[in-house]
Amino acid sequence: MNLNPPLVIASGPGGSGEYLSLINPKYVGAYTLKTITLNPKPGNKSKRMENSENYIINSIGLENPGIEYVISNIEKFVLKETKTILSLGGDSKDEYIKIAEKIAPYAKKFEAIEFNFSCPNVKKGGLSILSDVNEWQEILENVRKILPNSFLIAKLSIEGNFVEVLSKKVKEFGWNGLTLINCVRGLLIKDGKIVTGGLSGPILKPIALRAIYEVRKVLKDIYIIASGGIYTKKDVDDFLLVGANAISIGSALFKDPQVIEELGKYLKGVEK
Ligand SMILES: Cc1cc2nc3c(=O)[nH]c(=O)nc-3n(C[C@H](O)[C@H](O)[C@H](O)COP(=O)(O)O)c2cc1C
């Protein structure tokens, strides 16, 4: 995958291209769409986001219109202004395989297809898909066969198993890339009440850096998109130093969409 600049909008915070009206697409290498599942999902009940200075906790729950809707409106989902990465998820092995089969005729329209194996906010699928590694390997093997020519990316977190062990499997089954990392399960107390959800934002950075560092040590030539608390040029430098090939922006979009232009310019070498 050749992205110029190597800057990606992370799956979720950017919706299905909504931020394009606020940012300069010249500085976006690729835009990852919000994760789509086989069947539509209404998501969790609100309130689904809490934030503090250093983090966000969200429990959106993979709200999405389902793959049939995407296929019926496929041109709407292939963004004109930038390359598009499709993000797919599932509740079970069969769902991951079925969604790959459904998208196969349209796969060429996307720069890459990312599979979300790490959503912390759904009871089935998401992170829990990794609780049976043998079954997960069957997904990797089958999806590679169904989408033989796609640039396939596995999005992992640090839960489920050691991320470097899972990453080796991704490579072994002929996948091309990794997005590291997704939100991790978090909890905060708000007005005396427990709020659980996926943790993102600056607080995630040291965890994401370590994950990429460990994976790069064992895999020299897999494409890695860094995700987790990237807000500043220093963050970009740090992630490139531990071996990331591309940088993704998630929660920072909520704070200031202009961060895209600033970091995109930086990565293009316009402003070092
Ligand atoms: C509101 C919200 C929704 C998200 N939805 C998804 C999603 O649908 N699929 C996915 O793979 N990751 C999703 N994520 C995770 C982000 O893509 C990203 O990996 C994570 O937030 C860490 O990066 P950040 O600290 O830059 O936000 C979501 C994150 C947030 C904050």
Side-chain angles (χ1 to χ4, degrees), residues 10-13 33-36 48-49 56 58 60 62-63 87 114 116 118-119 155 179 181-183 198-202 204 227-231 248-252 254:
S11 179
L33 306 178
K34 176 143 185 67
T35 300
I36 302 292
R48 310 190 293 186
M49 277 224 272
I56 291 178
N58 89 84
I60 308 290
L62 288 189
E63 178 181 348
S87 168
E114 180 170 284
N116 181 354
S118 44
C119 178
K155 183 162 181 183
T179 295
I181 57 175
N182 209 322
C183 300
L199 185 72
S200 65
L204 200 59
S227 171
I230 302 168
Y231 282 58
S248 93
I249 307 296
S251 302
F254 296 135

Side-chain angles (χ1 to χ4, degrees), residues 38-39 67-68 71 74 88 95-107 146-147:
L38 188 65
N39 302 308
I67 195 68
E68 296 295 354
I71 288 171
I74 194 80
L88 300 176
E95 283 198 13
Y96 276 96
I97 292 172
K98 220 175 245 170
I99 202 170
E101 285 167 348
K102 287 202 179 277
I103 206 66
Y106 312 93
I146 297 162
L147 299 168

Side-chain angles (χ1 to χ4, degrees), residues 17-31:
E18 288 86 326
Y19 271 84
L20 283 168
S21 62
L22 299 177
I23 62 183
N24 187 342
K26 210 168 99 189
Y27 297 111
V28 178
Y31 200 120

Side-chain angles (χ1 to χ4, degrees), residues 213-244:
Y213 172 78
E214 295 297 339
V215 170
R216 189 51 91 203
K217 264 203 293 197
V218 295
L219 293 174
K220 300 293 175 218
D221 60 351
I222 197 158
Y223 195 91
I224 299 180
I225 301 174
S227 171
I230 302 168
Y231 282 58
T232 65
K233 292 175 189 167
K234 161 89 167 107
D235 297 333
V236 168
D237 287 344
D238 291 351
F239 278 96
L240 294 176
L241 187 77
V242 294

Side-chain angles (χ1 to χ4, degrees), residues 22-212:
L22 299 177
I23 62 183
N24 187 342
K26 210 168 99 189
Y27 297 111
V28 178
Y31 200 120
T32 316
L33 306 178
K34 176 143 185 67
T35 300
I36 302 292
T37 50
L38 188 65
N39 302 308
K41 277 190 192 291
N44 297 325
K45 290 205 183 81
S46 69
K47 194 176 177 202
R48 310 190 293 186
M49 277 224 272
E50 292 288 354
N51 67 298
S52 83
E53 176 92 349
N54 288 316
Y55 61 90
I56 291 178
I57 290 220
N58 89 84
S59 57
I60 308 290
L62 288 189
E63 178 181 348
N64 80 91
I67 195 68
E68 296 295 354
Y69 179 85
V70 172
I71 288 171
S72 309
N73 297 277
I74 194 80
E75 293 309 329
K76 216 171 93 187
F77 284 86
V78 180
L79 306 172
K80 306 285 171 294
E81 299 86 343
T82 143
K83 293 175 177 175
T84 315
I85 300 176
L86 181 65
S87 168
L88 300 176
D91 282 355
S92 63
K93 179 185 86 180
D94 289 349
E95 283 198 13
Y96 276 96
I97 292 172
K98 220 175 245 170
I99 202 170
E101 285 167 348
K102 287 202 179 277
I103 206 66
Y106 312 93
K108 265 207 213 119
K109 293 181 179 284
F110 299 99
E111 181 68 13
I113 303 188
E114 180 170 284
F115 283 75
N116 181 354
F117 295 122
S118 44
C119 178
N121 292 322
V122 283
K123 286 205 181 71
K124 286 188 293 173
L127 196 54
S128 70
I129 208 74
L130 296 173
S131 59
D132 183 338
V133 173
N134 288 332
E135 203 171 79
W136 176 65
Q137 285 178 210
E138 283 180 45
I139 300 177
L140 295 178
E141 189 176 9
N142 279 287
V143 169
R144 182 73 282 179
K145 282 187 193 144
I146 297 162
L147 299 168
N149 302 316
S150 293
F151 193 95
L152 291 181
I153 301 171
K155 183 162 181 183
L156 301 174
S157 189
I158 52 154
E159 296 174 295
N161 213 318
F162 279 112
V163 66
E164 57 272 37
V165 174
L166 296 176
S167 295
K168 272 192 185 165
K169 295 282 175 204
V170 169
K171 170 85 181 159
E172 210 177 295
F173 285 98
W175 287 42
N176 314 83
L178 295 159
T179 295
L180 303 171
I181 57 175
N182 209 322
C183 300
V184 301
R185 289 182 300 166
L187 182 154
L188 66 79
I189 314 284
K190 177 94 183 178
D191 303 326
K193 289 211 178 85
I194 285 179
V195 179
T196 59
L199 185 72
S200 65
I203 212 166
L204 200 59
K205 180 183 165 188
I207 301 172
L209 276 173
R210 179 70 189 269
I212 295 166

